[in-house]
Amino acid sequence: MMFQLHRRRPAVVLISLVTAYALLAEALVAGLSHRNWHLSWWLWHVLLTTAFVFVAYSAYLQFRREGTSAGLFDSVALSATVRRIRADYEAALEELVGHLRRREESRVPIANRLAGKFGLTDSQVAVLDRAGEALANERELSDRLAALADIGRQARVGLPEKEMLAQGLDRVRQAYGDVRIKLVDNGRVTVSSREYGQRDFPENRPIRLEGKLLHPLMVKGRLAGALEVPIGRTPQDEALAATLAGQMSISLENARLYSELETLFRQYMSPDVAQSLLADPQTAALGGELVELTALFADLKGFTSFSERVAPGEIVEMLNRYHTAAVPIVLGNGGTIVQFVGDALLALFNAPARQEDHALAAVRAGLAMQEAAEEIAAGMPGYPRFRIGINTGEALVGNIGSPELRGFNAMGDCVNVAARLEGIAEPGSVVIGQTTLDLIGPQAETRSLGPLNLKGREQPVHAYVLSGLS
């Protein structure tokens, strides 16, 4: 049995015991087989003494190696005992780590708390103290690296600056302690009643405070804030504080860049197009795809004569009133505005964002635009009124232009027909094509205009004046 244990867990003590048993067996055989009792007696004692000396010497060697007498014969233990000992050892290490993390609060030496509970000698406690320190440092490092990874993920999702900082601080404080961020105000950042400027951080180096480091947060090469990080808990504190400051600077710069881009994109193009470009810049490549969509054309009937009568400032004011009312309606129904040309606008439904009921969404937007325009015109006598044309069909949708300047647009017969239907519509009315009516179904309240010969088309187009939806 001892030999089998040695094969699984080699140990000097096991070899000593195997040898001792062999010598004792030999002494027993010698005592039983020899008639000379005195000789057998001496031989028996010599062999017995040799066996015990061998075991004692192996125990001494292990004592020299371990530095303690505890556990000298642990190698003799069975597998179940070994598993229990390992479980107890893991529990002891976990408790040790807990004591290490709370030692600043308790101010009681670790040896005083562990020696009595586990029956350890001073040398054993010292060994466990070093092992626990290493384990605690490793866990501290893992927690802080995980916090850095979480901050990096937050920097990629385009959170608003305040929300990003709030979430980032909550996560960082779990690993780093009492971390604080101060943002720049009038070129200065105030920390502990003292003001700091960019010149106070030469070469972006941190400032040492009592038990803390004050790292600059840089955005586009300029001071944007300061990060106050406590140090002194682990040997890696200063390096980790520098890494955290760099990550927070990147996150802050990304948050502000996202805000700038979103503001710029959303003010100059439809939100769906802006979101697509922010998510994948490759969508800005020239070219397109064939998509079934519903196109909505709208312009102001009588805009030219109105422009002749009033000053340019009044023209701009009038257009802004109408577009301020129309744009939220189009966007609220899932449409994408791709063009403003003077008093006209072109909106697409089902491109680039896909919509299941794009034809219904387009006609709802058209009717709502006319209602809003009527309210504006009622309060401003002499204002022109909207006329709207809507048509459904396939069109090539994508980026059209040159490598230097391009725009998102749609081309095809479907879009051309929508423009022609808008041209024949009366002020305050919405005219739709046959395909759009087919997709809407019987809920559309229409009046047929019959087959129309539109400019640029050889085949007639059936058109309808839409008065409402049931």
Side-chain angles (χ1 to χ4, degrees):
M1 183 186 70
M2 294 292 175
F3 180 69
Q4 292 297 331
L5 287 174
H6 174 71
R7 292 184 63 184
R8 290 196 297 270
R9 301 191 303 272
V12 176
V13 173
L14 286 173
I15 288 295
S16 300
L17 289 174
V18 169
T19 305
Y21 278 120
L23 292 175
L24 290 175
E26 186 177 354
L28 179 62
V29 171
L32 293 176
S33 61
H34 289 76
R35 295 182 180 181
N36 189 334
W37 185 84
H38 293 286
L39 180 61
S40 301
W41 185 88
W42 283 108
L43 177 61
W44 188 86
H45 279 81
V46 170
L47 294 175
L48 187 64
T49 302
T50 303
F52 279 106
V53 169
F54 197 12
V55 173
Y57 181 68
S58 64
Y60 171 74
L61 291 179
Q62 187 160 337
F63 172 80
R64 289 287 302 274
R65 187 188 320 159
E66 301 291 339
T68 176
S69 59
L72 286 180
F73 297 97
D74 285 352
S75 58
V76 185
L78 298 177
S79 298
T81 306
V82 172
R83 286 194 296 270
R84 179 177 57 79
I85 292 173
R86 287 178 177 173
D88 292 343
Y89 182 69
E90 290 175 2
L93 280 181
E94 290 292 340
E95 186 164 348
L96 176 63
V97 172
H99 284 314
L100 287 170
R101 289 182 171 177
R102 297 191 299 270
R103 65 182 176 180
E104 293 183 359
E105 302 173 4
S106 64
R107 299 180 179 274
V108 178
I110 297 173
N112 295 349
R113 295 195 297 269
L114 296 182
K117 183 169 184 177
F118 295 101
L120 304 177
T121 65
D122 290 343
S123 59
Q124 288 175 321
V125 170
V127 171
L128 279 179
D129 199 356
R130 291 193 298 271
E133 285 278 5
L135 182 58
N137 288 340
E138 182 180 349
R139 290 197 173 184
E140 196 88 23
L141 178 60
S142 298
D143 290 345
R144 296 185 183 189
L145 291 177
L148 287 173
D150 290 341
I151 294 297
R153 281 191 290 270
Q154 289 181 6
R156 295 193 296 269
V157 298
L159 290 175
E161 181 178 317
K162 291 185 178 179
E163 185 178 350
M164 184 276 296
L165 290 176
Q167 291 187 12
L169 274 179
D170 287 342
R171 178 64 184 92
V172 165
R173 283 171 176 165
Q174 297 172 12
Y176 282 78
D178 187 20
V179 176
R180 299 184 182 185
I181 290 181
K182 301 291 184 180
L183 296 181
V184 164
D185 184 13
N186 293 325
R188 310 288 290 177
V189 58
T190 304
V191 178
S192 301
S193 301
R194 181 178 173 182
E195 291 188 349
Y196 297 90
Q198 187 161 350
R199 293 182 179 180
D200 296 314
F201 300 94
E203 298 181 1
N204 298 334
R205 292 177 181 174
I207 297 174
R208 288 187 176 274
L209 305 176
E210 185 177 354
K212 298 178 180 179
L213 283 178
L214 188 65
H215 278 272
L217 298 179
M218 309 301 293
V219 173
K220 296 181 180 178
R222 299 186 64 83
L223 183 67
L227 183 72
E228 192 177 357
V229 187
I231 58 173
R233 294 168 60 182
T234 69
Q236 301 88 9
D237 277 3
E238 295 192 16
L240 289 170
T243 305
L244 175 61
Q247 186 63 66
M248 291 301 294
S249 293
I250 294 172
S251 299
L252 186 60
E253 185 168 358
N254 283 353
R256 294 183 176 182
L257 180 61
Y258 270 117
S259 177
E260 291 174 5
L261 288 176
E262 189 167 341
T263 300
L264 180 64
F265 280 2
R266 292 184 188 279
Q267 287 180 344
Y268 284 91
M269 63 181 63
S270 187
D272 288 333
V273 180
Q275 194 68 28
S276 177
L277 286 173
L278 286 173
D280 181 11
Q282 294 299 321
T283 56
L286 292 174
E289 59 178 334
L290 200 61
V291 178
E292 183 187 71
L293 55 81
T294 299
L296 181 153
F297 261 102
D299 79 342
L300 293 169
K301 178 66 174 177
F303 173 75
T304 303
S305 58
F306 176 83
S307 301
E308 292 175 352
R309 300 193 308 268
V310 300
E314 293 184 51
I315 299 173
V316 173
E317 181 182 355
M318 180 270 297
L319 288 176
N320 287 341
R321 281 175 180 259
Y322 278 121
H323 291 327
T324 299
V327 169
I329 293 173
V330 173
L331 299 181
N333 283 277
T336 298
I337 298 175
V338 295
Q339 279 186 8
F340 284 107
V341 182
D343 62 318
L345 67 85
L346 167 62
L348 305 179
F349 295 80
N350 202 40
R354 298 294 180 259
Q355 293 175 271
E356 186 175 351
D357 299 323
H358 52 89
L360 184 59
V363 298
R364 282 175 176 166
L367 293 172
M369 286 172 61
Q370 289 293 23
E371 291 180 8
E374 288 295 330
E375 293 180 5
I376 294 173
M380 303 297 296
Y383 265 26
R385 297 165 66 195
F386 268 134
R387 54 181 181 177
I388 297 174
I390 299 174
N391 190 48
T392 303
E394 287 191 335
L396 184 67
V397 179
N399 298 295
I400 300 169
S402 71
E404 293 78 16
L405 186 64
R406 67 199 71 183
F408 183 83
N409 213 325
M411 299 184 66
D413 182 63
C414 155
V415 181
N416 295 334
V417 169
R420 298 289 181 254
L421 294 178
E422 174 262 325
I424 65 171
E426 295 296 326
S429 68
V430 178
V431 177
I432 63 175
Q434 182 68 55
T435 308
T436 305
L437 179 62
D438 293 341
L439 291 175
I440 298 172
Q443 61 182 308
E445 299 174 0
T446 60
R447 173 174 57 85
S448 176
L449 295 177
L452 302 175
N453 293 316
L454 301 179
K455 182 180 178 181
R457 280 185 58 89
E458 296 181 358
Q459 300 296 327
V461 173
H462 288 269
Y464 303 84
V465 176
L466 179 69
S467 57
L469 295 171
S470 61

